[in-house]
């Protein structure tokens, strides 16, 4: 969920460790649903670098998750 409408957000903007992006679906201009499919047992992590999406003013996002941020299945 973004605080403002964003553009340019695509599955290639997300890096997944031990998994793949199954889908990235916009619900509306500020909410997206991400589904990830693990490739093996164990930790799955998601990283989204800074400045991959922009708002109407052209401001890029801050880094959302880092490689050390782990989301468990």
């Amino acid at each position: 969920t973004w605080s403002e409408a964003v553009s340019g957000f695509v599955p290639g903007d997300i890096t997944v460790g031990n998994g793949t992006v199954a889908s990235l679906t916009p619900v509306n201009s500020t909410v997206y649903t991400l589904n990830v499919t693990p490739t093996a047992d164990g930790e799955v992590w998601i990283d989204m670098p800074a400045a991959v999406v922009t708002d109407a003013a052209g401001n890029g996002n801050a880094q959302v998750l880092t490689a050390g941020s782990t989301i468990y299945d």
Side-chain angles (χ1 to χ4, degrees):
T1 299
W2 306 96
S3 60
E4 296 182 34
V6 298
S7 62
F9 190 26
V10 297
D13 295 334
I14 302 164
T15 302
V16 180
N18 191 30
T20 59
V21 175
S23 64
L24 178 64
T25 308
V27 175
N28 58 47
S29 63
T30 61
V31 177
Y32 287 74
T33 300
L34 172 66
N35 289 302
V36 173
T37 302
T39 53
D41 288 338
E43 294 182 357
V44 173
W45 59 263
I46 300 167
D47 182 56
M48 183 177 161
V52 296
V53 299
T54 57
D55 63 14
N59 301 308
N61 65 289
Q63 188 168 10
V64 176
L65 296 173
T66 63
S69 299
T70 303
I71 299 174
Y72 294 95
D73 178 44

